[in-house]
Amino acid sequence: MKPKAALPPVDMETYVPAAITVVRRSVGWPGIIVHERRGKSGAVDYPGGIRQHVLYCFLEPLRSDVVLAGQKETVDYEACDCRFTPAGRPVAFRWTGDVRVLMLGFQPWFFERVAAELGTSAALPAEINNRKLSYRHPVSILMQQMHHELEATAGAGVAAEGLARVIAVQILREFDHIRGTKPAPAVPPPAVLKVVEFMRGRLADSLALEELAEVAGLSPFHFARQFKTATGHPPHDYLIRLRVDRAQELIRQHSREWTMAAIANECGFSDQSHMARHFKRVLGVSPGEFADANPSVR
């Protein structure tokens, strides 16, 4: 008899528990999803985990059960206390009474990129779900500012991206000591960062794997394997994501003056449709939808 296939992780953007309603959400913010949700008593199981890393900021006091590997722990949250749920870790939650929560979802590539820049790993254990971050913690204070950005108009996406990066740094610092023994990185972080900076400076060029490997000082085979270990993505996919990042910047700055075709060319995409396909894959919205949500400041 074949074993049951593992359940896939759910997507924060599209899955909402029955007892919960999304009352406010971000649109087109690069690498992150922000929801304000409200609801009544309820429960939710994530046997396959959540696709994003999710930070919950409870805007009102709440008592919640956290269930990990069949073991339940009850946690009392004060207003603006936070909880972090690592991506892909099976977990279940139960709560009683009204709930009002701000959720920040980090797309894995966004969180992994911050971790790579810090020279650490984005992999965190499920037990972190039981750790409460006080409303006085820097993460909780930053989440309150993130809440304000949901109400902002001009520049909200730019501000939210910056806040999310700082929050990710604070989370990685907070929980670094409970990872256990960390394996030695396959590529020293400076070498990875050197290649990333090389990519940033050559976004419009066609970069071969061999050229990137030479920058890192490794054979193409070892470079490709070790780059993915450090960043979570193959070199070409990471380059595409950097191009999408650059496209977002240009859309914010020049969407009233530049055509999408010109932006695509500037970022190294072969044409507008090539950019649109990858833009949608990485961010979940089209370049046009992103431009509507982030009007040009010029």
Side-chain angles (χ1 to χ4, degrees):
M1 184 175 179
K2 289 184 178 181
K4 291 183 179 179
L7 292 173
V10 303
D11 194 306
M12 172 187 153
E13 182 67 36
T14 57
Y15 177 79
V16 181
I20 300 296
T21 300
V22 179
V23 297
R24 200 174 302 169
R25 70 176 70 214
S26 61
V27 177
W29 290 2
I32 60 173
I33 304 164
V34 180
H35 283 184
E36 181 182 343
R37 297 183 177 186
R38 299 183 186 185
K40 303 292 184 181
S41 299
V44 62
D45 292 325
Y46 298 116
I50 307 174
R51 192 169 75 83
Q52 293 83 12
H53 301 276
V54 181
L55 179 65
Y56 300 81
C57 181
F58 298 99
L59 302 176
E60 297 175 353
L62 182 74
R63 169 168 287 189
S64 176
D65 292 336
V66 180
V67 183
L68 296 169
Q71 300 297 312
K72 181 183 77 172
E73 181 168 332
T74 300
V75 184
D76 289 310
Y77 298 98
E78 297 184 52
C80 295
D81 285 352
C82 291
R83 174 181 71 212
F84 185 69
T85 297
R89 305 295 191 186
V91 66
F93 302 117
R94 313 277 186 271
W95 62 92
T96 303
D98 293 347
V99 59
R100 182 169 169 241
V101 61
L102 184 70
M103 297 171 61
L104 167 60
F106 296 94
Q107 298 293 3
W109 66 265
F110 184 101
F111 199 74
E112 289 159 2
R113 186 173 66 183
V114 175
E117 291 172 354
L118 294 178
T120 189
S121 168
L124 294 168
E127 290 72 21
I128 285 175
N129 280 287
N130 292 326
R131 303 289 185 107
K132 179 172 66 175
L133 299 175
S134 163
Y135 65 89
R136 299 186 184 92
H137 193 281
V139 165
S140 303
I141 294 170
L142 289 165
M143 281 294 282
Q144 294 171 52
Q145 181 60 41
M146 184 70 78
H147 192 204
H148 296 322
E149 295 305 327
L150 275 178
E151 302 174 354
T153 52
V158 179
E161 181 182 5
L163 284 169
R165 287 179 59 83
V166 178
I167 289 171
V169 168
Q170 291 291 337
I171 289 170
L172 289 162
R173 286 176 176 172
E174 176 70 23
F175 297 121
D176 187 69
H177 67 286
I178 65 172
R179 296 172 193 273
T181 303
K182 292 185 288 187
V187 173
V192 174
L193 293 176
K194 183 178 181 181
V195 172
V196 170
E197 288 308 308
F198 180 78
M199 288 178 172
R200 290 185 190 277
R202 299 276 300 276
L203 290 181
D205 299 338
S206 178
L207 298 177
L209 178 64
E210 291 75 12
E211 186 175 3
L212 298 176
E214 184 176 351
V215 172
L218 296 167
S219 70
F221 173 79
H222 286 94
F223 166 71
R225 184 177 63 182
Q226 295 174 359
F227 187 92
K228 184 175 181 180
T229 298
T231 67
H233 299 279
H236 180 70
D237 186 54
Y238 196 92
L239 177 61
I240 291 294
R241 292 172 185 274
L242 289 178
R243 287 172 174 166
V244 170
D245 284 353
R246 178 59 177 157
Q248 293 171 66
E249 294 176 7
L250 294 179
I251 289 171
R252 291 195 195 103
Q253 297 170 5
H254 303 294
S255 61
R256 295 178 183 175
E257 306 150 4
W258 293 21
T259 65
M260 288 296 177
I263 291 174
N265 181 69
E266 181 70 17
C267 296
F269 294 106
S270 58
D271 53 36
Q272 182 177 341
S273 63
H274 185 217
M275 179 179 76
R277 183 169 71 253
H278 287 294
F279 208 97
K280 180 76 172 180
R281 177 178 65 86
V282 172
L283 298 180
V285 295
S286 69
E289 291 169 332
F290 181 84
D292 291 340
N294 297 269
S296 174
V297 298
R298 295 191 177 187

